[in-house]
Amino acid sequence: MGFWDSLGKAAKGAASSAMKAVEDVNRYKAEFESYDDSSLIRIAKGGGDFTKKSAALSILKSRGYTPEQIKNS
C-alpha cells in the first residue's frame, strides 16, 4: 500500500469519527433539552465525555448563557 492509499484511509477514518461525534452530540441534545439549567451546567463543567459537554453547552448557549456565566456558575 502506498503513501496516498494510507493517507486516504486515514482521512476516511477521521471523517467517519467526526460524523459519529456530531450524531452523538445531536442525540445528547435531544435527551438533555428537558434538563434544567443547573443540571446542564453540571454536565458542561464536569469531566468526562466531550460530546455530552458539547451538547450541554450548546443548549445553555441557546438559552442565553454566555461562557463566562457558565464558568462562574
Side-chain angles (χ1 to χ4, degrees):
M1 181 184 310
F3 170 77
W4 294 110
D5 291 332
S6 296
L7 186 62
K9 283 188 178 187
K12 285 180 187 177
S16 176
S17 294
M19 288 299 297
K20 173 141 178 29
V22 168
E23 291 170 1
D24 289 347
V25 168
N26 288 333
R27 183 171 40 87
Y28 286 125
K29 281 175 67 174
E31 178 184 337
F32 295 166
E33 193 62 44
S34 63
Y35 286 23
D36 63 15
D37 293 354
S38 62
S39 296
L40 291 171
I41 289 169
R42 259 193 316 279
I43 293 167
K45 290 174 69 175
D49 192 335
F50 174 77
T51 55
K52 288 181 180 180
K53 292 171 91 171
S54 295
L57 287 168
S58 176
I59 294 169
L60 288 167
K61 183 178 177 185
S62 73
R63 293 181 184 178
Y65 282 83
T66 64
E68 190 67 26
Q69 289 172 315
I70 296 167
K71 181 181 174 184
N72 293 328
S73 294

